Amino acid sequence: MKKCEVIQAGDPCLKQRSQEVPPEAILGPDVQSIIDDMIVTMDAYQGVGLAAPQIGINLRIMCYGFEHNPRYPNALPVPLTIFINPVILNRSQDIQTGFEGCLSLPPLRGEVPRYQWLEVKGYDRHGNEIIKKAEGFEARIIQHEIDHLDGIFFIERIQDFKHFGLTEVLKAHEIIP
Ligand code: NI
């Protein structure tokens, strides 16, 4: 279990579609150790979520969850969740706009429109198929991380750049907490 470097914006690794994990490989030591490294790395950098390409591995694995997060101080706790090969089954008509950041682009935040809720299918780390319905900030994180698996950055989703800026400056003006 080790803390990895988080790959930063500009690296081609973050711009490609990651590959599915063969289900029979989930319980193997390689995939299990990738998951362990992702959890340690996410916590070490105080992320709310992390996708495998952010540690340089182009496989469709994502994790998210936190108790209290200083980068998103108003966010309610979200249980630690691992999704392998996540697929969106269903989603709301409603779109909500909210601020997002990214460990691969830490100095910037912007307002991104996302589905208010969604239903996702995938595997957990034990190789069990899971279906989860999530809403609000959790649904936002899931969409952000699935985007990473497809090589898409949150800034590509921004429709209105009025509230885009440097994290420090947005905080100083109390535009974000
Ligand atoms: Ni990100």
Side-chain angles (χ1 to χ4, degrees):
M1 213 179 282
K2 65 175 191 299
K3 175 183 158 189
C4 304
E5 290 281 304
V6 176
I7 306 282
Q8 297 296 293
D11 192 302
C13 184
L14 293 171
K15 294 305 301 172
Q16 67 191 71
R17 188 186 182 279
S18 292
Q19 295 302 301
E20 273 76 15
V21 178
E24 63 275 16
I26 293 173
L27 292 176
D30 293 350
V31 171
Q32 291 296 315
S33 98
I34 291 167
I35 293 168
D36 287 337
D37 291 351
M38 286 174 65
I39 295 168
V40 168
T41 304
M42 174 175 77
D43 287 342
Y45 289 92
Q46 299 179 319
V48 293
L50 194 77
Q54 292 182 279
I55 58 164
I57 292 160
N58 283 114
L59 286 174
R60 299 184 80 78
I61 306 172
M62 53 175 271
C63 65
Y64 64 85
F66 56 91
E67 204 43 53
H68 172 76
N69 190 284
R71 295 173 66 246
Y72 300 91
N74 295 341
L76 296 171
V78 173
L80 177 65
T81 306
I82 315 295
F83 259 117
I84 300 163
N85 303 344
V87 175
I88 296 174
L89 293 179
N90 206 350
R91 58 201 177 190
S92 61
Q93 298 281 326
D94 286 355
I95 304 282
Q96 264 182 359
T97 301
F99 271 97
E100 289 181 27
C102 183
L103 294 180
S104 295
L105 202 55
L108 299 173
R109 297 279 178 100
E111 267 194 332
V112 185
R114 299 284 190 188
Y115 298 107
Q116 201 273 327
W117 62 260
L118 43 71
E119 196 173 39
V120 198
K121 178 184 82 167
Y123 294 94
D124 67 12
R125 70 175 305 169
H126 308 293
N128 301 315
E129 231 186 321
I130 49 170
I131 292 179
K132 174 151 193 167
K133 195 169 175 182
E135 61 175 357
F137 192 56
E138 183 176 4
R140 175 171 298 282
I141 299 170
I142 293 171
Q143 290 167 79
H144 178 114
E145 303 310 334
I146 291 179
D147 270 354
H148 275 306
L149 303 180
D150 291 325
I152 299 167
F153 249 114
F154 78 98
I155 47 169
E156 296 173 60
R157 298 285 193 195
I158 296 175
Q159 282 171 3
D160 181 354
F161 276 87
K162 207 187 298 175
H163 293 147
F164 174 77
L166 295 176
T167 309
E168 288 307 311
V169 178
L170 291 165
K171 279 188 191 225
H173 288 274
E174 294 178 350
I175 295 167
I176 58 172

